[in-house]
Amino acid sequence: MDDRVVERRKLMSITSVSTILTSPGRNYLLVVVKTDDGLVGYGDATLNGRERAVATVVEDSIRQLLVDEDESRIEYLWRKIYLSAYWRGGPVLMTALAGIDMALWDIKGKRAGLPLYSLLGGKARDRARAYVHVHGQTTSQLVERSRAKVDAGFEALRFSFDSVDPRDPSVTYCQAHQDVAVGRIERTGGAARRDSWDSDTYLTDLPRTAATLRDTLGPNVALIHDVHSRLSPPRAVRAAKELESTGLFFLEDPAEHLDLSTLETIRAQTSVPIAVGELYFHGSDIAELVRRQLVDYVRVDISHFGGITPVVKLAHFAEALGIRTAFHGPSDISPPAHAALAHLAVHLGNFGIQEMVEDQSIWSEVFTTPIQLDRGFITVGNQPGLGVSVDEAAARRHEFVPASLPILHDRMGAIHPW
Ligand code: CS2
Ligand code: MG
């Protein structure tokens, strides 16, 4: 190598890897990677309720694997972090790895002066369809709010029940915890207890609520329901069958994500499109679900599946089998993740739909993003890398506050899976 090449390589090394925990409207963990010529990459490493565990892994174990390495070798560095530990993966490590991966792609884009979608091969579409959550404390509130969103231009809506009250069927708490998503974190220091899960009430309520929504909103709104794997196998099959006439865009997590045989039964008995994926961490674990075409939409979480690198590989694998993407995009992951998803949404050939946070004031005091959400469609700007800027001083002012998802109980006081 002549001296110029040596000099150039030296300029491209990683000098620091750190984390920022911030809470502008809810808790987020950012990974910050810096190079010796002053580039800064940001990645999201937020694992809802376990943020500090991820920060510790990044600071104590991963940092030393990266300092002095060539930042351009994402594939090599990803494998170095993943394969160098004998005990691989799991939510904490894969979230940490995702944060690093996103930050490295951010740097790669900034070095090239190109947005992520362009690095990956350019735009397949100008704008990408998004869906947002709608929730209400009663069915009529849910319907009213859905109507308002459709009137505001949204074409795709998702509803979900996080608790039901068997004593009063008119009361259905539809994803009430998502109030957290519009800026009111449950700052209890611990998890709130909910005592009202009842699968039979849910099963009775669900087709009725879905039918009411369909009647009110008309045939052209893409309706999505998230079962959140809260049903036993036979009940999951029954729910899917009863929802068939509603014409859902997709039914999400009707069964446990690892229960491929129930998913197979649902597919054999109904034509409801199925979406699964947010609880997978590894390509090797989700491969069988995709290979057997048990889903129509694959929806891994970019922040828990190891970042952009493995998500792109999974999307290409799914494309070969006629499966589209509907990646997990909840309010509990931060703007670098949402920006990466927006870049993938305009780039991927087999993009299906993208879950999106409607009220972005939840993070706007800290983050500026390249994402525009206009009447249910996402467009993404041409800033280099992920295109997210971070006001680090503001991030530090919004201190982390311990918070968790509610803990769901059934009517006998036993824990029910969230
Ligand atoms: C959900 C999430 O967005 C979704 O599809 O399943 O709301 C999920 O409950 C949260 O990400 C949990 O932290
Ligand atoms: Mg879900």
Side-chain angles (χ1 to χ4, degrees), residues 22 68 97 127 159 215 285 297 350 399 403:
T22 183
D68 291 336
L97 185 45
R127 56 184 196 149
F159 68 106
D215 287 350
D285 291 345
Y297 296 90
N350 59 331
E399 281 180 32

Side-chain angles (χ1 to χ4, degrees), residues 13 34 41 51 89 163 237 239 267 282 286 291 319 330 352 372:
S13 68
K34 294 187 177 158
E51 297 84 357
S163 53
V237 178
R267 272 182 117 45
H282 308 277
I286 198 172
R291 191 190 67 74
E319 184 174 19
Q372 296 290 329

Side-chain angles (χ1 to χ4, degrees), residues 131 133 158 160 226-228 252-253 278 299 328 355:
Y131 72 89
H133 292 194
R158 174 267 207 188
S160 184
D226 187 353
V227 179
H228 228 264
E252 179 183 338
D253 285 333
E278 64 190 55
R299 48 181 288 100
H328 193 215
E355 181 179 30

Side-chain angles (χ1 to χ4, degrees), residues 240-253:
K241 285 164 86 165
E242 292 190 358
L243 285 169
E244 196 155 27
S245 57
T246 308
L248 290 181
F249 185 81
F250 63 66
L251 182 64
E252 179 183 338
D253 285 333

